[in-house]
mmCIF file of all heavy atoms in Angstrom:
data_model
loop_
_atom_site.group_PDB
_atom_site.id
_atom_site.type_symbol
_atom_site.label_atom_id
_atom_site.label_comp_id
_atom_site.label_asym_id
_atom_site.label_seq_id
_atom_site.Cartn_x
_atom_site.Cartn_y
_atom_site.Cartn_z
ATOM 1 N N HIS A 126 173.150 206.755 105.233
ATOM 2 C CA HIS A 126 171.984 207.128 106.027
ATOM 3 C C HIS A 126 170.955 207.753 105.094
ATOM 4 O O HIS A 126 171.298 208.654 104.312
ATOM 5 C CB HIS A 126 172.388 208.126 107.118
ATOM 6 C CG HIS A 126 171.349 208.271 108.168
ATOM 7 N ND1 HIS A 126 170.177 208.952 107.944
ATOM 8 C CD2 HIS A 126 171.281 207.803 109.433
ATOM 9 C CE1 HIS A 126 169.443 208.895 109.035
ATOM 10 N NE2 HIS A 126 170.089 208.209 109.960
ATOM 11 N N GLY A 167 177.896 207.989 114.111
ATOM 12 C CA GLY A 167 178.217 206.581 114.377
ATOM 13 C C GLY A 167 179.223 206.473 115.502
ATOM 14 O O GLY A 167 180.203 207.235 115.540
ATOM 15 N N HIS A 168 178.964 205.548 116.423
ATOM 16 C CA HIS A 168 179.848 205.352 117.573
ATOM 17 C C HIS A 168 180.659 204.080 117.411
ATOM 18 O O HIS A 168 180.648 203.202 118.280
ATOM 19 C CB HIS A 168 179.013 205.274 118.861
ATOM 20 C CG HIS A 168 178.524 206.609 119.340
ATOM 21 N ND1 HIS A 168 177.532 206.747 120.279
ATOM 22 C CD2 HIS A 168 178.904 207.860 119.024
ATOM 23 C CE1 HIS A 168 177.314 208.036 120.510
ATOM 24 N NE2 HIS A 168 178.131 208.737 119.756
ATOM 25 N N GLY A 169 181.330 203.930 116.272
ATOM 26 C CA GLY A 169 182.167 202.746 116.020
ATOM 27 C C GLY A 169 183.641 203.128 115.991
ATOM 28 O O GLY A 169 184.011 204.302 116.068
ATOM 29 N N ASN A 170 184.489 202.109 115.847
ATOM 30 C CA ASN A 170 185.940 202.351 115.831
ATOM 31 C C ASN A 170 186.388 203.166 114.623
ATOM 32 O O ASN A 170 187.380 203.891 114.687
ATOM 33 C CB ASN A 170 186.681 201.017 115.855
ATOM 34 C CG ASN A 170 186.799 200.469 117.268
ATOM 35 O OD1 ASN A 170 186.874 201.225 118.234
ATOM 36 N ND2 ASN A 170 186.808 199.154 117.395
ATOM 37 N N VAL A 171 185.657 203.044 113.498
ATOM 38 C CA VAL A 171 186.077 203.823 112.320
ATOM 39 C C VAL A 171 185.873 205.321 112.587
ATOM 40 O O VAL A 171 186.701 206.159 112.212
ATOM 41 C CB VAL A 171 185.356 203.343 111.043
ATOM 42 C CG1 VAL A 171 185.671 204.247 109.865
ATOM 43 C CG2 VAL A 171 185.761 201.909 110.714
ATOM 44 N N ASP A 174 188.835 206.343 114.542
ATOM 45 C CA ASP A 174 190.041 206.440 113.682
ATOM 46 C C ASP A 174 190.092 207.811 113.003
ATOM 47 O O ASP A 174 191.135 208.480 112.975
ATOM 48 C CB ASP A 174 189.997 205.383 112.566
ATOM 49 C CG ASP A 174 190.394 203.984 113.025
ATOM 50 O OD1 ASP A 174 190.830 203.831 114.178
ATOM 51 O OD2 ASP A 174 190.254 203.044 112.209
ATOM 52 N N ARG A 212 173.119 207.197 117.875
ATOM 53 C CA ARG A 212 171.672 207.150 118.141
ATOM 54 C C ARG A 212 171.333 206.416 119.428
ATOM 55 O O ARG A 212 170.188 206.357 119.826
ATOM 56 C CB ARG A 212 170.950 206.503 116.961
ATOM 57 C CG ARG A 212 171.354 205.061 116.705
ATOM 58 C CD ARG A 212 170.608 204.503 115.515
ATOM 59 N NE ARG A 212 171.156 203.222 115.113
ATOM 60 C CZ ARG A 212 170.720 202.511 114.095
ATOM 61 N NH1 ARG A 212 169.729 202.977 113.357
ATOM 62 N NH2 ARG A 212 171.269 201.367 113.780
ATOM 63 N N ARG A 213 172.352 205.774 120.069
ATOM 64 C CA ARG A 213 172.052 205.081 121.326
ATOM 65 C C ARG A 213 173.000 205.599 122.418
ATOM 66 O O ARG A 213 173.669 206.615 122.233
ATOM 67 C CB ARG A 213 172.165 203.569 121.126
ATOM 68 C CG ARG A 213 171.158 203.088 120.081
ATOM 69 C CD ARG A 213 170.945 201.595 120.104
ATOM 70 N NE ARG A 213 172.095 200.866 119.577
ATOM 71 C CZ ARG A 213 172.341 199.592 119.827
ATOM 72 N NH1 ARG A 213 171.521 198.906 120.596
ATOM 73 N NH2 ARG A 213 173.400 198.997 119.302
ATOM 74 N N SER A 219 179.660 200.982 119.937
ATOM 75 C CA SER A 219 180.368 199.788 119.455
ATOM 76 C C SER A 219 181.884 199.983 119.384
ATOM 77 O O SER A 219 182.605 199.033 119.098
ATOM 78 C CB SER A 219 179.805 199.317 118.117
ATOM 79 O OG SER A 219 179.949 200.291 117.150
ATOM 80 N N GLU A 224 190.475 201.934 121.995
ATOM 81 C CA GLU A 224 190.401 203.072 121.063
ATOM 82 C C GLU A 224 189.844 204.310 121.772
ATOM 83 O O GLU A 224 190.270 205.436 121.514
ATOM 84 C CB GLU A 224 189.537 202.695 119.854
ATOM 85 C CG GLU A 224 190.274 201.914 118.774
ATOM 86 C CD GLU A 224 190.770 200.557 119.213
ATOM 87 O OE1 GLU A 224 190.131 199.923 120.059
ATOM 88 O OE2 GLU A 224 191.835 200.132 118.714
ATOM 89 N N SER A 334 179.602 207.261 109.434
ATOM 90 C CA SER A 334 180.428 206.078 109.679
ATOM 91 C C SER A 334 179.543 205.021 110.324
ATOM 92 O O SER A 334 179.546 204.818 111.533
ATOM 93 C CB SER A 334 181.597 206.465 110.598
ATOM 94 O OG SER A 334 182.447 205.364 110.771
ATOM 95 N N LEU A 335 178.749 204.368 109.471
ATOM 96 C CA LEU A 335 177.649 203.512 109.928
ATOM 97 C C LEU A 335 177.901 202.045 109.659
ATOM 98 O O LEU A 335 176.996 201.224 109.786
ATOM 99 C CB LEU A 335 176.351 203.928 109.215
ATOM 100 C CG LEU A 335 176.026 205.426 109.187
ATOM 101 C CD1 LEU A 335 174.780 205.687 108.366
ATOM 102 C CD2 LEU A 335 175.848 205.953 110.597
ATOM 103 N N GLY A 336 179.113 201.691 109.279
ATOM 104 C CA GLY A 336 179.428 200.304 108.936
ATOM 105 C C GLY A 336 179.356 200.070 107.428
ATOM 106 O O GLY A 336 179.253 201.030 106.640
ATOM 107 N N TYR A 337 179.413 198.794 107.036
ATOM 108 C CA TYR A 337 179.579 198.413 105.619
ATOM 109 C C TYR A 337 178.713 197.214 105.264
ATOM 110 O O TYR A 337 178.301 196.460 106.127
ATOM 111 C CB TYR A 337 181.063 198.050 105.358
ATOM 112 C CG TYR A 337 181.947 199.201 105.745
ATOM 113 C CD1 TYR A 337 182.397 199.336 107.057
ATOM 114 C CD2 TYR A 337 182.258 200.198 104.833
ATOM 115 C CE1 TYR A 337 183.155 200.430 107.447
ATOM 116 C CE2 TYR A 337 183.010 201.299 105.211
ATOM 117 C CZ TYR A 337 183.456 201.411 106.518
ATOM 118 O OH TYR A 337 184.182 202.502 106.890
ATOM 119 N N TRP A 376 184.587 188.954 106.128
ATOM 120 C CA TRP A 376 183.453 189.885 106.140
ATOM 121 C C TRP A 376 182.445 189.572 105.028
ATOM 122 O O TRP A 376 181.268 189.860 105.159
ATOM 123 C CB TRP A 376 183.966 191.320 106.016
ATOM 124 C CG TRP A 376 184.414 191.885 107.339
ATOM 125 C CD1 TRP A 376 184.675 191.190 108.478
ATOM 126 C CD2 TRP A 376 184.622 193.269 107.654
ATOM 127 N NE1 TRP A 376 185.042 192.056 109.486
ATOM 128 C CE2 TRP A 376 185.019 193.328 109.011
ATOM 129 C CE3 TRP A 376 184.526 194.452 106.925
ATOM 130 C CZ2 TRP A 376 185.313 194.542 109.648
ATOM 131 C CZ3 TRP A 376 184.817 195.658 107.560
ATOM 132 C CH2 TRP A 376 185.205 195.696 108.903
ATOM 133 N N ALA A 381 180.191 193.122 108.109
ATOM 134 C CA ALA A 381 181.343 193.930 108.565
ATOM 135 C C ALA A 381 181.384 194.011 110.079
ATOM 136 O O ALA A 381 181.126 195.047 110.672
ATOM 137 C CB ALA A 381 181.262 195.322 107.947
ATOM 138 N N ARG A 382 181.706 192.909 110.701
ATOM 139 C CA ARG A 382 181.744 192.859 112.162
ATOM 140 C C ARG A 382 183.078 192.297 112.599
ATOM 141 O O ARG A 382 183.522 191.278 112.082
ATOM 142 C CB ARG A 382 180.656 191.927 112.690
ATOM 143 C CG ARG A 382 179.319 192.587 112.918
ATOM 144 C CD ARG A 382 178.383 191.641 113.615
ATOM 145 N NE ARG A 382 178.133 190.439 112.839
ATOM 146 C CZ ARG A 382 177.216 190.366 111.867
ATOM 147 N NH1 ARG A 382 176.492 191.422 111.576
ATOM 148 N NH2 ARG A 382 177.025 189.254 111.206
ATOM 149 N N GLY A 383 183.692 192.949 113.568
ATOM 150 C CA GLY A 383 184.808 192.336 114.259
ATOM 151 C C GLY A 383 186.170 192.731 113.752
ATOM 152 O O GLY A 383 186.333 193.290 112.661
ATOM 153 N N VAL A 384 187.143 192.401 114.592
ATOM 154 C CA VAL A 384 188.527 192.773 114.327
ATOM 155 C C VAL A 384 189.254 191.602 113.661
ATOM 156 O O VAL A 384 188.662 190.550 113.405
ATOM 157 C CB VAL A 384 189.231 193.196 115.652
ATOM 158 C CG1 VAL A 384 188.630 194.473 116.183
ATOM 159 C CG2 VAL A 384 189.150 192.092 116.694
HETATM 160 N N1 NAP B 2 190.963 199.679 116.015
HETATM 161 C C1 NAP B 2 190.188 198.666 115.676
HETATM 162 O O1 NAP B 2 190.258 197.586 116.223
HETATM 163 C C2 NAP B 2 189.174 198.867 114.582
HETATM 164 C C3 NAP B 2 189.215 200.024 113.802
HETATM 165 C C4 NAP B 2 188.236 200.194 112.825
HETATM 166 C C5 NAP B 2 187.260 199.219 112.642
HETATM 167 N N2 NAP B 2 187.275 198.108 113.403
HETATM 168 C C6 NAP B 2 186.190 197.120 113.307
HETATM 169 O O2 NAP B 2 185.559 197.151 112.047
HETATM 170 C C7 NAP B 2 184.145 196.943 112.211
HETATM 171 C C8 NAP B 2 183.389 198.070 111.522
HETATM 172 O O3 NAP B 2 183.582 199.278 112.268
HETATM 173 P P1 NAP B 2 182.639 200.551 112.045
HETATM 174 O O4 NAP B 2 183.048 201.589 112.996
HETATM 175 O O5 NAP B 2 182.608 200.860 110.590
HETATM 176 O O6 NAP B 2 181.177 199.979 112.323
HETATM 177 P P2 NAP B 2 180.381 199.618 113.670
HETATM 178 O O7 NAP B 2 181.288 199.201 114.764
HETATM 179 O O8 NAP B 2 179.341 198.680 113.235
HETATM 180 O O9 NAP B 2 179.715 201.005 114.124
HETATM 181 C C9 NAP B 2 178.714 201.605 113.345
HETATM 182 C C10 NAP B 2 178.025 202.704 114.135
HETATM 183 O O10 NAP B 2 177.072 203.303 113.257
HETATM 184 C C11 NAP B 2 175.800 203.346 113.908
HETATM 185 N N3 NAP B 2 174.722 203.251 112.940
HETATM 186 C C12 NAP B 2 174.503 202.281 112.024
HETATM 187 N N4 NAP B 2 173.409 202.562 111.293
HETATM 188 C C13 NAP B 2 172.918 203.743 111.755
HETATM 189 C C14 NAP B 2 171.834 204.563 111.394
HETATM 190 N N5 NAP B 2 170.995 204.223 110.400
HETATM 191 N N6 NAP B 2 171.635 205.716 112.072
HETATM 192 C C15 NAP B 2 172.462 206.069 113.068
HETATM 193 N N7 NAP B 2 173.537 205.338 113.460
HETATM 194 C C16 NAP B 2 173.771 204.178 112.812
HETATM 195 C C17 NAP B 2 175.810 202.152 114.850
HETATM 196 O O11 NAP B 2 174.850 202.381 115.852
HETATM 197 P P3 NAP B 2 173.917 201.177 116.379
HETATM 198 O O12 NAP B 2 174.801 200.368 117.273
HETATM 199 O O13 NAP B 2 172.820 201.885 117.072
HETATM 200 O O14 NAP B 2 173.469 200.430 115.143
HETATM 201 C C18 NAP B 2 177.264 202.213 115.367
HETATM 202 O O15 NAP B 2 177.385 203.137 116.400
HETATM 203 C C19 NAP B 2 183.882 196.877 113.697
HETATM 204 O O16 NAP B 2 183.756 195.555 114.122
HETATM 205 C C20 NAP B 2 185.105 197.527 114.287
HETATM 206 O O17 NAP B 2 185.409 197.100 115.606
HETATM 207 C C21 NAP B 2 188.208 197.915 114.377
#
Side-chain angles (χ1 to χ4, degrees):
H126 195 286
H168 283 165
N170 278 329
V171 174
D174 281 353
R212 62 181 170 181
R213 299 196 288 160
S219 61
E224 277 64 32
S334 184
L335 312 176
Y337 304 87
W376 277 16
R382 272 188 299 276
V384 293

